[in-house]
């Protein structure tokens, strides 16, 4: 408004000059800088890990830290990454309803790719069996069994847990798991905070306790080398 009526500064052109060429540009610079600072990405996993490292006994604090640093949903990349962290730490906490909510929210903006067709003939021509019983029965004929589990779904660990005894009875002696950091885990009777990352989830911890009780040997399979995608060997990022 001041610049719309420059006549009021006829007696002091220096003031007008300072407003127009010094003060206003400085204000614009401050606004741009503030906007840029607001857009700076903060890794939500780093936020949660930092809090949990200080208070490993309190699973609620990292969840609260994430909630207080929630990005705007319009920023799809940052928000999607935040949802991954939120569902992971909600699973650690044991709030499975929120875990599934955040998991589904990652795909809420994706349009349907096509019509869903239900093959009822498949159900009619196949017999449904108990999955755990079938897997353990097939394990007798194999040397390796790989179970694909989702990090944020403790149900998958609950599914595997009662199968461990059957695997052991069939001759299996080794269990390789992701993010196992403790090289001395086989000498212990239980996992602790430093055992690994996903082992913070209670059912994952229970899976390890049961495996150790049965005398399974736990294996770390991730490479300690930096996995930047430049290795000639496609398997150079794991220990196998």
């Amino acid at each position: 408004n001041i610049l719309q009526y420059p006549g009021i500064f006829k007696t002091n052109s220096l003031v007008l000059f300072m407003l127009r060429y010094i003060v206003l540009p400085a204000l614009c610079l401050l606004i741009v800088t503030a906007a840029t600072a607001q857009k700076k990405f903060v890794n939500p996993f780093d936020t949660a890990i930092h809090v949990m490292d200080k208070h490993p006994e309190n699973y609620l604090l990292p969840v609260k830290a994430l909630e207080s640093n929630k990005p705007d949903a319009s920023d799809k990349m940052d928000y999607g990454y935040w949802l991954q962290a939120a569902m992971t730490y909600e699973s650690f906490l044991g709030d499975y309803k929120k875990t599934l909510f955040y998991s589904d929210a990652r795909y809420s903006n994706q349009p349907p790719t096509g019509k869903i067709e239900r093959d009822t003939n498949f159900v009619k021509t196949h017999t449904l069996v108990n999955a755990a019983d079938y897997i353990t029965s097939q394990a007798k004929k194999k040397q390796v069994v790989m179970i694909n589990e989702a990090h944020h779904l403790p149900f998958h660990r609950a599914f595997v847990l009662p199968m461990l005894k059957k695997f052991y009875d069939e001759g299996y002696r080794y269990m390789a798991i992701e993010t196992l950091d403790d090289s001395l885990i086989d000498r212990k009777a239980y996992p602790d905070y430093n055992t690994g990352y996903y082992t913070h989830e209670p059912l994952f911890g229970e899976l390890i306790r049961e495996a150790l009780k049965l005398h399974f040997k736990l294996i770390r399979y991730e490479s300690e080398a930096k996995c930047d995608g430049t290795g000639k060997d496609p398997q150079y990022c794991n220990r196998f």
Side-chain angles (χ1 to χ4, degrees):
N1 289 338
I2 291 175
L3 292 181
Q4 289 178 3
Y5 303 99
I8 62 174
F9 287 109
K10 284 182 179 179
T11 57
N12 195 343
S13 59
L14 178 61
V15 174
L16 178 60
F17 175 84
M18 292 179 65
L19 280 173
R20 179 175 294 177
Y21 297 107
I22 299 177
V23 178
L24 288 179
L27 287 174
C28 292
L29 178 62
L30 287 172
I31 292 172
V32 171
T33 302
T36 303
Q38 289 177 354
K39 292 183 179 180
K40 184 179 180 180
F41 175 70
V42 177
N43 189 320
F45 282 97
D46 288 345
T47 299
I49 290 172
H50 178 72
V51 173
M52 201 166 186
D53 281 345
K54 288 186 175 181
H55 305 279
E57 77 290 345
N58 193 330
Y59 280 36
L60 184 59
L61 287 181
V63 171
K64 289 185 174 180
L66 288 171
E67 290 175 348
S68 63
N69 290 277
K70 184 177 181 180
D72 192 276
S74 61
D75 191 338
K76 295 182 180 180
M77 182 174 292
D78 288 2
Y79 185 60
Y81 202 44
W82 181 89
L83 287 172
Q84 291 185 49
M87 68 187 192
T88 298
Y89 280 87
E90 290 289 1
S91 74
F92 290 176
L93 182 61
D95 193 332
Y96 304 140
K97 186 175 181 180
K98 282 189 176 180
T99 297
L100 295 176
F101 172 80
Y102 289 134
S103 177
D104 291 344
R106 291 182 301 160
Y107 308 102
S108 60
N109 293 325
Q110 296 185 9
T113 56
K115 183 180 178 181
I116 298 175
E117 296 182 359
R118 295 173 175 82
D119 185 4
T120 56
N121 187 58
F122 178 87
V123 178
K124 294 177 181 178
T125 56
H126 288 75
T127 302
L128 300 180
V129 298
N130 181 285
D133 291 343
Y134 180 80
I135 291 172
T136 51
S137 68
Q138 294 299 306
K140 300 177 183 180
K141 311 170 188 177
K142 310 295 180 181
Q143 289 184 304
V144 177
V145 175
M146 295 188 182
I147 298 177
N148 183 25
E149 57 93 32
H151 300 319
H152 66 291
L153 294 180
F155 310 110
H156 293 171
R157 268 81 79 182
F159 172 70
V160 176
L161 189 58
M163 297 165 61
L164 288 180
K165 178 64 166 60
K166 294 181 180 179
F167 284 134
Y168 194 86
D169 291 343
E170 295 301 334
Y172 289 82
R173 294 294 182 268
Y174 301 91
M175 185 171 76
I177 60 175
E178 191 173 356
T179 71
L180 180 63
D181 299 325
D182 192 349
S183 61
L184 303 177
I185 185 62
D186 290 307
R187 303 180 188 178
K188 301 177 180 178
Y190 54 86
D192 56 29
Y193 183 72
N194 296 314
T195 296
Y197 179 72
Y198 291 111
T199 54
H200 295 161
E201 193 277 305
L203 279 173
F204 211 142
E206 184 63 18
L207 186 69
I208 290 179
R209 278 188 288 273
E210 181 64 18
L212 293 174
K213 189 186 301 181
L214 292 169
H215 303 294
F216 273 97
K217 180 177 176 59
L218 301 187
I219 298 175
R220 297 184 296 163
Y221 69 78
E222 292 160 311
S223 173
E224 293 179 349
K226 183 179 180 181
C227 295
D228 54 8
T230 59
K232 295 181 180 179
D233 182 356
Q235 298 299 323
Y236 86 112
C237 280
N238 67 47
R239 294 174 182 268
F240 290 140

